[in-house]
Amino acid sequence: MNELEAGEGAAGGDHIDRLRRQWALELPDLDTEAMAILGRAYRLSNLVRASIEATFANFNLDRGEFDVIATLRRSGPPYRLTPTELYTLLMVSSGGLTHRLDRLEKAGLIQREKAPRDGRSVLVALTQAGIELAEQAFRTDMANESSFLHALDAKEREVLAVLLRKLIVGIEGKALPAAG
């Protein structure tokens, strides 16, 4: 039994099973296996996004702001990075980062410091309040995200994590065609 047929036995399956069944009727010659994996990954992301964003909002942060303070926090003491290191790690534009940094600085969570070796360069550092908030928000987020995994036992979670890592490494290692 293939994945498409397996979904039919589970009370009609999930949203992706329903979409695949519809496409199987309309375009029976088209293989929709990629939808079974990538479509579910996209749907999963959409299903949990609001809850994750609400978690950060409870700390008066948006997701982008959390990403900045979390990146600084996990960088280890002294919790400082250059703006270039930050926007490279976060995969955002320098302009987008500047906007986030302005808001975080105004909130007292980061400060911009002159680099000790080159006074023309700037370092972005977490304040003590930023260190504490990053940790609290991350702990709360991990508890929230863990609550979504109840349908899988420990071994299933481990297998899924290994397979997703393998898929992501394979995709990251391949030049992706531009959408068009």
Side-chain angles (χ1 to χ4, degrees):
M1 176 181 300
N2 67 28
E3 193 275 337
L4 182 60
E5 295 166 336
E8 292 175 2
D14 67 0
H15 178 73
I16 301 301
D17 289 326
R18 289 186 290 279
L19 295 178
R20 290 184 73 200
R21 282 194 299 271
Q22 289 174 325
W23 280 118
L25 292 172
E26 296 300 317
L27 300 173
D29 62 314
L30 184 62
D31 180 1
T32 61
E33 180 183 33
M35 183 185 282
I37 298 166
L38 299 178
R40 281 194 175 95
Y42 181 73
R43 177 135 173 96
L44 177 62
S45 177
N46 286 337
L47 287 170
V48 301
R49 178 178 292 119
S51 178
I52 292 169
E53 289 173 355
T55 295
F56 299 138
N58 288 333
F59 292 94
N60 296 315
L61 298 167
D62 66 26
R63 184 148 194 175
E65 293 164 342
F66 171 77
D67 287 345
V68 171
I69 65 171
T71 299
L72 289 164
R73 176 64 176 89
R74 72 173 178 264
S75 73
Y79 311 114
R80 291 191 301 222
L81 295 169
T82 66
T84 301
E85 289 170 322
L86 271 172
Y87 75 71
T88 301
L89 289 167
L90 294 169
M91 297 183 291
V92 296
S93 69
S94 60
L97 178 63
T98 299
H99 185 64
R100 291 177 190 178
L101 295 179
D102 290 344
R103 291 190 317 248
L104 292 168
E105 189 170 39
K106 187 174 182 180
L109 300 174
I110 61 121
Q111 58 190 22
R112 293 173 172 117
E113 305 172 347
K114 288 187 177 184
R117 295 179 197 217
D118 178 2
R120 296 172 296 168
S121 297
V122 173
L123 293 172
V124 177
L126 277 177
T127 62
Q128 188 59 42
I131 292 168
E132 292 168 10
L133 188 68
E135 184 175 328
Q136 290 174 323
F138 185 61
R139 288 181 183 279
T140 303
D141 178 51
M142 286 296 94
N144 179 45
E145 289 186 33
S146 292
S147 74
F148 295 121
L149 304 178
H150 69 276
L152 303 174
D153 65 33
K155 183 64 180 169
E156 289 169 328
R157 290 191 303 269
E158 181 182 342
V159 168
L160 180 58
V162 167
L163 292 174
L164 289 171
R165 179 187 308 112
K166 183 176 182 178
L167 179 61
I168 288 170
V169 167
I171 291 171
E172 287 176 342
K174 178 182 177 185
L176 296 176

